[in-house]
Amino acid sequence: MNEFDIIKHYFTVASHRKDVVMGPGDDCALLQVPPNTLLAVSTDTLVSGVHFFADMKPEALGHKALAVNLSDLAAMGADPCWVSLALTLPEIDENWIEQFCSGFFELAEYYNVALVGGDMTKGPLSITVTVQGTLPAGKGLKRSGAKVGDGIYVTGTLGDAALGLQQVLGNIAVPEKYKEFVCHKFEHPHPRILVGQALRDIASSALDLSDGLVGDLAHITRASGMRAQIELEQVPLSDAMQNTVSQEQGWELALSGGDDYELCFTVPELYRGQLETALANCGVKFTRIGRMYSGEPEVELVFEGRPYQLQSQSWDHFRK
Ligand code: ADP
Ligand code: MG
């Protein structure tokens, strides 16, 4: 198969979306944007050997390449609509492409996202995905909206993907019964799309956790011009984490480990009841881990009311 056969066979999938006027095959995709709508657009690249191991299962890679992009739409509160895919492959390996597509399209179909175009080139393995979503005019969960007194929240549990990475690297021995869980978290992150949508009228700011809580939350403190305080006893750690490493190691992984793709967001006290109701409908666990205070933009950690210092330097080599 040549390049065009591959595109036609694997990447030209009939879409059920009525807003796709022209999908793959012409010079551009043509998409119908509804009136009074903002387009939310985000791109992420995954490079072999940098963002993933060269031998990562292609099915997981297809899933993750789309998931990390959808996670950005989730963090903005947008409804996912369209995606384009630029693939750089060292060679045409149809078996690899087929499995990649199975992971990619399974997630795309789940959220009714249409693949509308892309590119194929030869070179070292790298995947660039651009997703587009919609928001009602005037909406969008920016990083800059947090106010003094807002609670800081996260979805799910933190650090499991980093624990999964350590397990794969052979640095930490995860008990047999938790291995699948942590590897799944590492390879198959699930974008929190429904949570993002539910937070649209409730959260004052939001982002997704890709680089680790402390570094990511620092973006909110800078954009909003205030200080964040995290209470370590509140940080949600999974059973797998609690039964594998010490509390201190758990915090290191949860606070400075990346790849969780959970959402971190701030909510005014006034909306606390609304938040409970909205997220109960999504069936996603969420936890208040701290509060926003006036002061220099920084992330402050406290344990039992006393300042706590992360050892994160020593954990840098654990980063992807
Ligand atoms: P051009 O040279 O005009 O950029 P291409 O040959 O790169 O066109 O692509 C031809 C068509 O196939 C375009 O519509 C493009 O969007 C689509 N396409 C290319 N690669 C992919 C891909 N990986 N997934 C989906 N569509 C693709
Ligand atoms: Mg092209």
Side-chain angles (χ1 to χ4, degrees), residues 47-57 61 125 164-166 168-169 186-187 320:
V47 177
S48 178
V50 179
H51 299 95
F52 60 92
F53 298 116
D55 63 351
M56 182 170 175
K57 289 192 283 308
L61 193 55
L125 179 60
L165 172 60
Q166 292 319 306
V168 172
L169 291 174
F186 174 51
E187 293 198 324
K320 41 190 186 288

Side-chain angles (χ1 to χ4, degrees), residues 9-81:
H9 189 261
Y10 291 103
F11 297 108
T12 308
V13 176
S15 165
H16 300 297
R17 295 191 66 101
K18 294 203 169 54
D19 51 15
V20 179
V21 177
M22 174 62 75
D26 214 308
D27 297 315
C28 291
L30 296 175
L31 309 169
Q32 185 71 54
V33 184
N36 296 316
T37 297
L38 284 176
L39 260 190
V41 183
S42 178
T43 299
D44 266 309
T45 296
L46 300 184
V47 177
S48 178
V50 179
H51 299 95
F52 60 92
F53 298 116
D55 63 351
M56 182 170 175
K57 289 192 283 308
E59 185 274 330
L61 193 55
H63 172 98
K64 193 163 178 174
L66 179 56
V68 303
N69 276 273
L70 288 177
S71 178
D72 283 314
L73 287 186
M76 214 66 197
D79 302 326
C81 299

Side-chain angles (χ1 to χ4, degrees), residues 3 118-120:
E3 178 192 334
D119 203 10
M120 286 252 300

